[in-house]
Amino acid sequence: MTTRQLRPGDLPGVLPSGGLTLVSSSPAESDLLIGEVDEAGSALGDMAFSGVFVPGLNKAVWRAGPDSSVLTFFQTPELRREGTRSRFLPLCYQDILALYRQQKPAAALFMCSPPDAEGNCSFGAETGFIAALWRDIPVRIAHINPLMPRTPGDPGIPFAELTGWFDGDQPLRTMTSGEDATSLAIAGHIAPLIPDGATLQTGLGKVPDAVLRALKHHRELRLHTGLIGDGALELVRSGAMAEGPSALVGVAIGSPALYAGLDDPHFQFRPVTITHDPATLAAIPRFVTINSAMEVDLYGQVHAEASSRGFMSGPGGGGDYARGARAAGGLRIIALPSEAGGTGRIVPAGGGHGPVSLSRFDVDVIVTEHGAADLRNLGHEARAQALIGIAAPHTRETLARHWRDAMRGLQEA
């Protein structure tokens, strides 16, 4: 394959019009490629752009003329405003991968590092889907970004395999979580549940980062997760991790300090075919998953995709990891603040917004700042009482009344 350096305005000459184009997103969303798509406009026809767009981080709408569209698996505010031009499919990661294999992208637009001595360009902080799929995508157009860190693990893509490339410096997208008293309290309840030698899966946000910071005195820990934030780097540097490449991850989203530390030899960046592979997850000993939710109802059902304002997300990888941990005999933790804006997030049975993201069979322990409710081997009544006990105090009496009414209705039926 002959690769060529591309100049502004060259994109329509190398990118076939129409079809599905996979784009890098998360921290690797490329302003350069977004600008080239916008400039190409209607020359790209009815092309559909697709990626894993993170709410609050990825704000591009990939508009290339009136016939273009976007296929997304997370509902960002910007894409919601695109109306019918944006197609939202709430799929878990394994189903996203299956869709891409069935409806094969005709092209990929992505950010990567300059080639190393062996001629390979690292996907850096976003290994995810493009690293898994690029070999089956005929047209591969890169934004070679000298500010993209090279990450250990996946070898990346050989420079010679690129159809074309632009170059230019661009800082990676950043997202910092900070911490507060609530997240620290939740982390304090979770840390004792995690044994030394555990392998952890976490997501993004204040609570996951606080949990990882709370584990600095543990030993022989490992990570196997799709996403990491700054807390993962702090854990890696704390001495709590097992020696060697013990932090297997797919995507890093955080501060510039996180990106600067991704060359740590503990890290191994791998594609979604490894980070979310069911057989791989099922074989992990002492596997502990720690994920968040919007609401949990008194049956223990987890709602993680919608609020009173509508859909906020897709299911993501939570279901993949819950199924993997169950097969591995691991521990599945859901962590959330007990309230938001004065509204309780432990809700009456069947009272959650949107679809059930994780069934009551996909969760072992629910944690709020008020404690941990271990739901394993409990009946309906005991589960409900355990959840009421960790709900926001001002909601507990109402929750208990709703529960009594719900149970009375079932008995009378």
Side-chain angles (χ1 to χ4, degrees):
M1 176 183 290
T2 300
T3 186
R4 55 178 283 206
Q5 183 171 9
L6 302 175
R7 305 296 180 188
D10 283 350
L11 192 63
V14 292
L15 191 63
S17 64
L20 181 65
T21 293
L22 184 61
V23 300
S24 63
S25 53
S26 298
E29 186 174 63
S30 168
D31 292 331
L32 188 157
L33 293 174
I34 293 165
E36 290 296 321
V37 165
D38 183 69
E39 180 67 23
S42 59
L44 300 182
D46 60 350
M47 183 172 291
F49 299 90
S50 185
V52 178
F53 307 116
V54 179
L57 184 73
N58 299 130
K59 300 182 179 181
V61 297
W62 295 92
R63 189 181 292 112
D67 296 323
S68 67
S69 61
V70 177
L71 171 61
T72 183
F73 309 103
F74 292 88
Q75 185 67 293
T76 71
E78 294 78 14
L79 290 174
R80 184 184 295 112
R81 289 194 290 268
E82 291 293 294
T84 58
R85 184 179 169 272
S86 173
R87 183 185 178 206
F88 170 43
L89 291 183
L91 302 180
C92 69
Y93 270 48
Q94 280 297 309
D95 288 340
I96 296 171
L97 186 62
L99 182 145
Y100 282 146
R101 284 173 167 163
Q102 294 164 2
Q103 303 176 25
K104 292 186 177 181
L109 301 174
F110 55 90
M111 185 186 288
C112 60
S113 75
D116 62 12
E118 285 73 45
N120 293 321
C121 300
S122 174
F123 293 112
E126 193 209 11
T127 302
F129 284 91
I130 291 178
L133 298 167
W134 70 262
R135 294 167 183 82
D136 296 321
I137 299 175
V139 177
R140 309 151 186 164
I141 298 173
H143 168 187
I144 294 182
N145 180 10
L147 300 183
M148 173 64 83
R150 298 195 62 82
T151 50
D154 185 84
I157 182 170
F159 178 78
E161 293 287 348
L162 300 177
T163 305
W165 54 280
F166 298 92
D167 65 358
D169 290 6
Q170 179 191 314
L172 302 189
R173 299 279 193 259
T174 60
M175 177 182 287
T176 55
S177 61
E179 62 182 30
D180 55 25
T182 298
S183 62
L184 291 174
I186 293 171
H189 294 305
I190 292 176
L193 302 175
I194 297 174
D196 287 341
T199 295
L200 309 173
Q201 177 269 321
T202 65
L204 293 177
K206 290 180 181 181
V207 171
D209 279 354
V211 170
L212 296 182
R213 293 184 183 114
L215 299 177
K216 62 184 178 181
H217 298 302
H218 281 58
R219 289 296 177 263
E220 296 298 313
L221 297 177
R222 295 178 179 274
L223 292 175
H224 184 116
T225 188
L227 291 170
I228 58 167
D230 285 62
L233 180 62
E234 295 178 39
L235 183 66
V236 159
R237 290 176 169 174
S238 72
M241 300 291 289
E243 292 185 3
S246 52
L248 190 151
V249 303
V251 177
I253 301 175
S255 68
L258 172 63
Y259 301 140
L262 294 182
D263 59 352
D264 188 291
H266 281 94
F267 287 121
Q268 287 286 293
F269 277 73
R270 296 295 187 185
V272 69
T273 45
I274 296 176
T275 59
H276 292 72
D277 177 62
T280 300
L281 299 177
I284 296 175
R286 297 184 181 178
F287 191 29
V288 180
T289 68
I290 307 163
N291 288 296
S292 61
M294 302 292 289
E295 296 168 321
V296 175
D297 78 6
L298 293 182
Y299 287 132
Q301 298 178 128
V302 175
H303 298 258
E305 303 168 55
S307 73
S308 59
R309 293 175 291 166
F311 282 102
M312 311 296 289
S313 180
D320 300 310
Y321 286 119
R323 289 185 290 272
R326 184 178 189 179
L331 178 67
R332 300 160 300 173
I333 299 171
I334 293 295
L336 73 165
S338 67
E339 59 183 311
T343 300
R345 294 174 64 174
I346 304 295
V347 300
H353 289 90
V356 173
S357 304
L358 296 175
S359 80
R360 66 191 194 278
F361 305 114
D362 293 323
V363 184
D364 296 313
V365 181
I366 307 292
V367 182
T368 73
E369 70 271 27
H370 300 296
D374 189 337
L375 306 182
R376 290 172 291 183
N377 301 319
L378 298 184
H380 291 303
E381 181 67 26
R383 289 166 69 90
Q385 295 306 321
L387 288 166
I388 292 170
I390 62 167
H394 69 89
T395 68
R396 292 176 187 173
E397 184 177 343
T398 300
L399 286 171
R401 184 174 65 254
H402 276 290
W403 178 253
R404 289 193 299 270
D405 290 345
M407 291 304 97
R408 187 181 303 114
L410 287 173
Q411 291 166 1
E412 291 174 354

